[in-house]
């Protein structure tokens, strides 16, 4: 089971980075966080992969006052998505005609949905940005959706001001990724194996309801607010 979880985690993060490169090559707009990443990359002359890694660790610093702690998957996410985004940009050509751009955008959304379901379903912890949203929701009492909407409005606006790409792809991602992840997540979630405790009532039932709630928050965080 651990082998499957690790393989699923690393595969999901690799696909996520490649999907980011596909969004950029499509040239039709990015999701809110990547609009911000692209804007920062344009102003600093750093690759977008390097910017993704730097921003990931800066966001993790914001976890400290929220008393949110990273998992193994969180740290892997912070590094590998950026690495594979740069790999994808080196391998995937730009498209100058609309048909190719639309096809690339559709493929990026689908791959991103599969990637999200893979790494969330591996149960190694949320990504830095998703953890910020769930942590903020937990500490403030806001819903995950409200927390996500507020944060993404800020980063989208900042990214747009910095020159990040906002377009039809931004809208398509917002509308499509939530239902796609919800559809795929049950198929990719690795079941948790619990050992029954002798002499304890209800043995074999969920011994960690808080953990189940956290997994639910991670799944909700993967669904972008409309």
């Amino acid at each position: 089971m651990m082998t499957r979880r690790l393989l699923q985690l690393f595969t999901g993060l690799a696909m996520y980075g490649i999907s980011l490169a596909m969004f950029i090559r499509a040239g039709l707009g990015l999701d809110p966080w990547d609009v911000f990443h692209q804007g920062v990359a344009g102003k600093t002359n750093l690759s977008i992969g390097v910017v993704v890694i730097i921003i990931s660790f800066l966001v993790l610093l914001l976890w400290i006052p929220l008393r949110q702690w990273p998992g193994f998957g969180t740290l892997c996410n912070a590094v590998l998505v950026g690495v594979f985004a740069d790999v994808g940009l080196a391998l995937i050509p730009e498209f100058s005609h609309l048909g190719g751009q639309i096809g690339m955008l559709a493929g990026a959304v689908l791959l991103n949905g599969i990637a999200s379901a893979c790494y969330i379903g591996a149960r190694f912890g949320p990504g830095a940005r998703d953890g910020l949203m769930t942590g903020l929701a937990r500490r403030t009492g806001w819903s995950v959706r409200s927390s996500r909407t507020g944060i993404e409005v800020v980063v989208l606006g900042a990214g747009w001001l910095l020159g990040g790409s906002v377009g039809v792809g931004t809208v398509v991602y917002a509308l499509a990724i939530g239902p796609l992840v919800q559809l795929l997540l049950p198929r990719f979630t690795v079941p948790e194996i619990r050992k029954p405790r002798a002499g304890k009532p209800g043995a074999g039932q969920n011994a960690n309801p808080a953990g189940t709630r956290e997994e639910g928050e991670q799944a909700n965080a993967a669904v972008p607010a409309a």
Side-chain angles (χ1 to χ4, degrees), residues 135-167:
L136 183 63
R138 186 181 299 110
R139 294 289 290 173
T140 62
W142 300 344
S143 68
V144 171
R145 181 171 292 273
S146 296
S147 299
R148 181 159 195 147
T149 300
I151 293 172
E152 291 193 344
V153 165
V154 172
V155 297
L156 178 63
W160 178 72
L161 291 173
L162 290 170
S165 176
V166 179

Side-chain angles (χ1 to χ4, degrees), residues 7-33:
L7 180 62
Q8 188 170 304
L9 171 68
F10 293 132
T11 301
L13 295 178
M15 290 192 299
Y16 201 101
I18 296 297
S19 73
L20 168 54
M22 293 171 67
F23 275 112
I24 294 173
R25 291 304 189 218
L28 296 174
L30 307 175
D31 70 275
W33 274 104

Side-chain angles (χ1 to χ4, degrees), residues 177-204:
I177 196 65
L180 186 58
V181 173
Q182 286 187 333
L183 175 66
L184 295 173
L185 191 58
R187 293 167 170 78
F188 286 97
T189 299
V190 180
E192 184 175 1
I193 299 176
R194 299 183 179 88
K195 296 180 180 180
R197 298 180 181 179
K200 295 289 185 179

